[in-house]
Amino acid sequence: MLVGHSMGGFVARAALVHPGLRKSAVETILTLSSPHQYPPVALQPSLGHFFSHVNEEWRNGYKKGVSHTSSPKLSNVVVVSISGGIHDYQIRSRLAALDGIVPSTHGFMVGSSSVKNVWLSMEHQSILWCNQLAVQVAHTLLSMIDPVDRQPFLSSQKRVFVFAKMLQSVVPQSLSWMNHVSGSQSSNFLASDTREAGELQRNDTLFCPPSVLWTSDGLEKDLHIQSNLVTVLAMDGRRRWLDIKKL
């Protein structure tokens, strides 16, 4: 899994179609305010040609070959692009879009203020350290890991499902294909993993106490713990215990 900011996101995509990279070495890419369509500033013609070359490789990477016997080169690769929004004057949303490069079955773009639990638009640098987004992105990446073998989910559809569930406040029209996945099937994407995670919780005392109940729809709801004490991460980086009743 690669996470890239600005040109780093495009470099991650360029590396994926480099002939020297081992196949399946990277199957998930998350970009933050990265230009995908064309360079934000055309400093020299070679940069524009390089963008065109990489994007053409990606388009071909999702197409089936003449033989139809082998799967496309990028058939298992998922890409999600997070744009800064109206305050990002360097990389506008149209540059961060994946339209015509990555099919909607394998990725999407979302604006920062449209991400779950995030209500701020970000400029080009602050997208790296805005706590609202950093927490949600970290939680999303951890949700990509299979609790049994501790590796990212193999299924590209499952990874797109987790990305959409964790990042999107509303499923956009471009992901309408997900509606064809039955409700029971989509919930089973995560329900089976929740049962396996439950086994790990019972065998490991470092996990949350058994009084905390985890369900398959836990990603959509806030965690409710019946207790007066809560711990808060303050701006100075220290954790503090607060008693709700006393407050």
Side-chain angles (χ1 to χ4, degrees):
M1 299 167 70
L2 293 180
V3 180
H5 169 249
S6 192
M7 285 297 289
F10 178 76
V11 169
R13 285 205 305 113
L16 211 65
V17 293
H18 191 280
L21 185 71
R22 176 175 55 84
K23 188 179 180 181
S24 303
V26 177
E27 293 187 331
T28 304
I29 295 178
L30 177 66
T31 68
L32 303 171
S33 189
S34 297
H36 293 294
Q37 297 293 334
Y38 47 87
V41 180
L43 296 176
Q44 51 193 22
S46 60
L47 184 59
H49 294 325
F50 185 57
F51 262 76
S52 299
H53 168 71
V54 170
N55 287 341
E56 187 61 29
E57 288 288 316
W58 272 75
R59 294 185 190 98
N60 295 332
Y62 286 108
K63 294 178 181 177
K64 290 187 177 180
V66 179
S67 62
H68 296 285
T69 55
S70 60
S71 58
K73 181 181 179 182
L74 301 178
S75 61
N76 207 36
V77 176
V78 169
V79 185
V80 171
S81 171
I82 300 179
S83 67
I86 60 173
H87 288 119
D88 190 340
Y89 298 106
Q90 290 177 258
I91 306 297
R92 290 300 193 182
S93 297
R94 67 176 180 273
L95 287 181
L98 298 170
D99 300 342
I101 302 172
V102 178
S104 61
T105 53
H106 287 74
F108 57 88
M109 185 202 77
V110 59
S112 61
S113 56
S114 298
V115 173
K116 272 186 178 181
N117 301 322
V118 180
W119 55 88
L120 295 174
S121 175
M122 299 159 201
E123 53 93 22
H124 194 62
Q125 297 297 332
S126 65
I127 196 172
L128 285 172
W129 61 73
C130 175
N131 193 56
Q132 290 182 1
L133 184 67
V135 169
Q136 194 67 18
V137 166
H139 191 184
T140 300
L141 293 176
L142 288 172
S143 299
M144 289 285 160
I145 305 301
D146 190 322
V148 177
D149 60 14
R150 311 282 176 123
Q151 297 295 320
F153 293 122
L154 294 177
S155 167
S156 60
Q157 190 180 39
K158 192 168 188 176
R159 277 176 278 138
V160 172
F161 177 81
V162 174
F163 266 126
K165 196 174 182 71
M166 295 295 293
L167 294 180
Q168 293 278 15
S169 299
V170 179
V171 178
Q173 189 67 31
S174 61
L175 293 179
S176 58
W177 62 269
M178 292 181 63
N179 295 330
H180 298 294
V181 179
S182 65
S184 59
Q185 183 180 349
S186 62
S187 62
N188 286 339
F189 274 162
L190 297 171
S192 59
D193 304 313
T194 305
R195 287 193 296 271
E196 293 156 352
E199 292 295 326
L200 289 174
Q201 286 183 25
R202 286 191 287 274
N203 298 330
D204 193 338
T205 57
L206 296 179
F207 280 91
C208 289
S211 59
V212 179
L213 299 178
W214 298 95
T215 59
S216 59
D217 61 350
L219 297 178
E220 291 182 337
K221 298 179 180 178
D222 292 332
L223 178 64
H224 174 71
I225 301 177
Q226 196 169 2
S227 170
N228 294 332
L229 292 176
V230 294
T231 178
V232 178
L233 180 62
M235 293 300 291
D236 59 4
R238 296 182 178 180
R239 287 198 173 274
R240 292 181 173 84
W241 287 96
L242 299 177
D243 190 314
I244 298 175
K245 282 192 173 181
K246 287 183 180 179
L247 292 176

